[in-house]
Amino acid sequence: MAKILTASEMPDILSAQLIANYLGLSRSTVYSLFDVKPESGGIPNFTIGISRKVDKRDFFSWLDQKKEASNSVG
């Protein structure tokens, strides 16, 4: 099993696998979130060749928004 990196240990550009490990999700779930537009709740990402990548700042901003939305429900 791959070591799960802390936020500070993560590189500036993240792969689907790093995000999957961090969130405890499958890589296919992360790719599904890549396919959803960010304004509809998907993870902001970009393509380099055939690889999809995420800026670390965008990922943690997205995660913070998800936490805030969860905390405001109820």
Side-chain angles (χ1 to χ4, degrees):
M1 182 171 181
K3 177 185 185 277
I4 298 173
L5 302 176
T6 65
S8 62
E9 292 173 324
M10 288 182 159
D12 290 336
I13 303 297
L14 308 176
S15 66
Q17 187 64 61
L18 278 172
I19 293 170
N21 292 348
Y22 187 80
L23 295 177
L25 301 172
S26 70
R27 194 170 66 198
S28 63
T29 299
V30 173
Y31 278 112
S32 293
L33 288 166
F34 285 176
D35 289 336
V36 176
K37 293 182 181 193
E39 55 271 15
S40 298
I43 299 173
N45 65 91
F46 58 94
T47 304
I48 298 178
I50 62 169
S51 297
R52 292 170 81 175
K53 303 293 182 181
V54 177
D55 184 282
K56 179 179 177 176
R57 293 168 299 189
D58 290 344
F59 171 67
F60 283 102
S61 176
W62 172 85
L63 190 57
D64 287 342
Q65 289 172 356
K66 289 295 183 187
K67 288 185 214 176
E68 286 177 26
S70 287
N71 291 335
S72 68
V73 174

